[in-house]
Amino acid sequence: MKNEWPLWEVFIRGQHGLAHRHVGSLHAPDAETAILNARDVYTRRNEGVSIWVVEAKHIAASSPSEKGPLFEPSESKIYRHPTFFDIPEEVGHM
Amino acid sequence: MYAQMVKTASNRVKTREEMSPEEQHFQDKIDNDVKIEPKDWMPEDYRRTLIRQIGQHAHSEVVGQLPEGNWITRAPTLERKAILLAKVQDEAGHGLYLYSAAETLGVSRDELIELLHEGKMKYSSIFNYPTLNWADIGAVGWLVDGAAIINQVALQRTSYGPYSRAMIRICKEESFHARQGYSAIMKMAFGTPEQKKMAQDAVNRLWFPALMMFGPSDKDSVHSEQSMAWKIKVKTNDELRQQFVDQTVPQIDYLGLERPDPTIKWNEERGHYDFAMPDWDEFFNVIKGNGPCNADRMENRRKAWEDGAWVREGLLEHARKKAARKVAAE
Ligand SMILES: [Fe+2]
Ligand SMILES: [Fe+2]
């Protein structure tokens, strides 16, 4: 379609100091308007204190076919989790 | 329901033997409640059916603003006006979330909007009924959004990730819609005899159209089976409709209004209310475009779209020039 506004992905940081989180997307002609639209659509009930927008075409994503090579290697490395190690109860909380 | 009659390419579900290895893998994910995400492999029919369903759903949110928007300037108090405005604004947001979900399937929002305006896509039949007075606005929030909630709560578990996430977001906002409606109708039902009469009239007129929102009876719903297998649909039309009736009848009774259908009766054995089905001929007629407000709604939609074209184009042109100036300055 010609003259369609580009798509932006919207990230919002909530009240409690957590990282910005992806909340959805919207169309806007430019970044400034995208932020204003994001304010109107995604923060009408105090959902956030900060907004990031990025044009969707600038996001690079892993592809589902890479799922195996990318994520399987970590499956076998259970020693990376604290629960792998038995610590005697006498030692106390660790 | 917001998508009442979504056509699927086939009326019959493939057996496992008929499926390709890819299809089998896909069906296994669905059976195990693993969400399907935009870049995952999916059958072409799944993609097409979803575009139709999510598109219809999005159109319903947007067209649904019209019967209510009609009353914003005539709300009885400033508070009611602010509430209705906020509610209608939410619906615009719902439309946006859903168009965004559809866009992940490779169709653009503008394309979907144009298909709607060309009459090639549908929206819920309920929005082709008029809102004649303030009591109707209360009844719409209570009954229409109430019905929408039942459908949308079920769809939170739908198999397509972006659709499911849109439903979760929408459901968070919907109970405000139903409650503000019920609160408005309560005021009328417990008000003067004149007001009570208006409330009764609104319920009488909107009851059957609200029941139609869930789509035809299961026995006549030819497209359900594949959609259920794909978990695009999670409950059948009749299950959802029954849930709505069971939930709503006590709410009607509380208001001291007469039940809009004299055959409604608690069925001890079934543990549900018995009730009369709407007039399905009327339903199919409205779906075909011959309801009381179809022409009006589409005319308003097209006009809004066309009248807004210069704004959309102007802002885009401005953004292009600004970007070019920035490049030149660097
Ligand atoms: Fe909605
Ligand atoms: Fe709503």
Side-chain angles (χ1 to χ4, degrees):
Chain A
M1 290 260 132
K2 74 172 203 333
N3 281 334
E4 199 159 9
W5 287 354
L7 189 69
W8 300 76
E9 298 299 333
V10 180
F11 301 80
I12 305 252
R13 178 150 52 85
Q15 314 268 0
H16 307 294
L18 294 175
H20 284 76
R21 229 184 105 200
H22 183 242
V23 293
S25 47
L26 50 77
H27 288 272
D30 55 25
E32 270 171 87
T33 323
I35 288 175
L36 286 178
N37 289 356
R39 193 273 316 264
D40 288 346
V41 179
Y42 293 109
T43 67
R44 291 201 302 283
R45 292 182 176 84
N46 280 329
E47 288 94 335
V49 293
S50 166
I51 300 173
W52 288 351
V53 293
V54 58
E55 221 183 307
K57 69 175 181 201
H58 295 310
I59 291 184
S62 64
S63 94
S65 61
E66 295 166 334
K67 215 165 160 187
L70 283 178
F71 305 116
E72 266 163 27
S74 78
E75 277 171 23
S76 56
K77 298 176 180 57
I78 48 170
Y79 48 82
R80 290 185 173 175
H81 297 276
T83 45
F84 180 75
F85 305 93
D86 285 329
I87 304 291
E89 228 165 83
E90 302 92 277
V91 178
H93 178 73
M94 187 178 285
Chain B
M1 53 108 56
Y2 267 22
Q4 293 159 311
M5 300 257 300
V6 179
K7 282 203 181 74
T8 47
S10 61
N11 292 338
R12 197 178 60 84
V13 182
K14 276 189 189 171
T15 64
R16 208 170 163 81
E17 291 69 48
E18 289 171 320
M19 290 181 189
S20 69
E22 273 167 323
E23 286 174 307
Q24 285 183 2
H25 178 66
F26 174 81
Q27 190 62 51
D28 288 344
K29 276 166 81 176
I30 288 181
D31 294 342
N32 291 315
D33 286 326
V34 176
K35 295 276 183 251
I36 308 301
E37 295 296 339
K39 287 180 158 187
D40 294 346
W41 185 89
M42 61 186 83
E44 194 47 31
D45 280 349
Y46 176 84
R47 199 182 66 83
R48 268 202 298 261
T49 308
L50 266 178
I51 289 176
R52 262 194 297 262
Q53 176 165 334
I54 302 174
Q56 258 188 52
H57 198 151
H59 297 328
S60 300
E61 301 286 350
V62 171
V63 178
Q65 295 178 102
L66 297 171
E68 291 183 298
N70 186 29
W71 280 90
I72 290 173
T73 55
R74 287 175 285 171
T77 66
L78 187 58
E79 188 183 54
R80 288 284 173 200
K81 181 176 179 169
I83 291 168
L84 185 59
L85 195 58
K87 196 262 185 199
V88 172
Q89 193 188 9
D90 276 354
E91 304 300 2
H94 295 180
L96 174 68
Y97 308 155
L98 286 158
Y99 285 125
S100 299
E103 283 184 302
T104 63
L105 293 159
V107 63
S108 84
R109 183 175 70 181
D110 287 9
E111 277 173 274
L112 288 171
I113 290 173
E114 285 188 0
L115 286 169
L116 171 71
H117 294 176
E118 287 163 11
K120 290 180 186 152
M121 279 186 91
K122 297 189 192 316
Y123 55 93
S124 177
S125 58
I126 187 71
F127 303 119
N128 292 314
Y129 290 85
T131 43
L132 302 177
N133 56 48
W134 180 253
D136 286 15
I137 296 302
V140 163
W142 165 36
L143 298 174
V144 175
D145 290 72
I149 290 170
I150 285 180
N151 178 55
Q152 295 177 141
V153 164
L155 281 174
Q156 291 182 98
R157 292 186 287 118
T158 194
S159 61
Y160 188 56
Y163 192 24
S164 156
R165 292 190 282 274
M167 285 299 105
I168 291 169
R169 245 201 116 73
I170 286 176
C171 284
K172 277 194 197 145
E173 300 180 347
E174 283 291 356
S175 77
F176 152 57
H177 298 180
R179 292 173 72 127
Q180 63 84 32
Y182 197 67
S183 126
I185 207 91
M186 257 166 50
K187 263 264 173 337
M188 312 266 314
F190 299 137
T192 64
E194 196 72 54
Q195 285 175 307
K196 186 170 180 183
K197 222 173 113 195
M198 283 170 74
Q200 182 71 58
D201 172 60
V203 174
N204 290 352
R205 273 183 294 109
L206 287 163
W207 174 254
F208 285 110
L211 293 188
M212 292 176 196
M213 290 174 67
F214 300 96
S217 281
D218 295 347
K219 59 177 174 29
D220 303 316
S221 186
V222 284
H223 307 294
S224 282
E225 219 182 310
Q226 180 64 75
S227 289
M228 298 283 287
W230 279 336
K231 293 189 188 162
I232 287 176
K233 242 174 137 160
V234 182
K235 286 186 181 179
T236 71
N237 297 351
D238 285 335
E239 280 171 344
L240 293 166
R241 188 168 14 246
Q242 182 72 61
Q243 203 182 326
F244 173 74
V245 171
D246 291 348
Q247 167 187 303
T248 310
V249 170
Q251 296 169 352
I252 299 172
D253 294 349
Y254 176 82
L255 295 171
L257 297 179
E258 271 168 42
R259 296 174 178 177
D261 159 13
T263 71
I264 291 176
K265 206 172 149 239
W266 180 252
N267 183 325
E268 194 65 59
E269 212 173 296
R270 292 202 308 126
H272 293 291
Y273 285 98
D274 291 336
F275 61 97
M277 282 289 176
D279 176 353
W280 291 120
D281 290 339
E282 177 182 321
F283 167 75
F284 287 111
N285 204 32
V286 174
I287 286 277
K288 256 189 253 148
N290 306 322
C293 300
N294 297 57
D296 212 43
R297 300 285 186 244
M298 277 306 97
E299 198 185 303
N300 285 324
R301 276 301 313 152
R302 268 184 234 117
K303 187 170 167 358
W305 183 245
E306 281 156 21
D307 290 355
W310 70 273
V311 179
R312 294 193 300 276
E313 283 158 24
L315 285 173
L316 194 62
E317 202 41 52
H318 175 67
R320 277 182 193 139
K321 280 189 184 153
K322 220 170 45 178
R325 264 202 304 276
K326 205 177 154 211
V327 171
E330 272 164 8

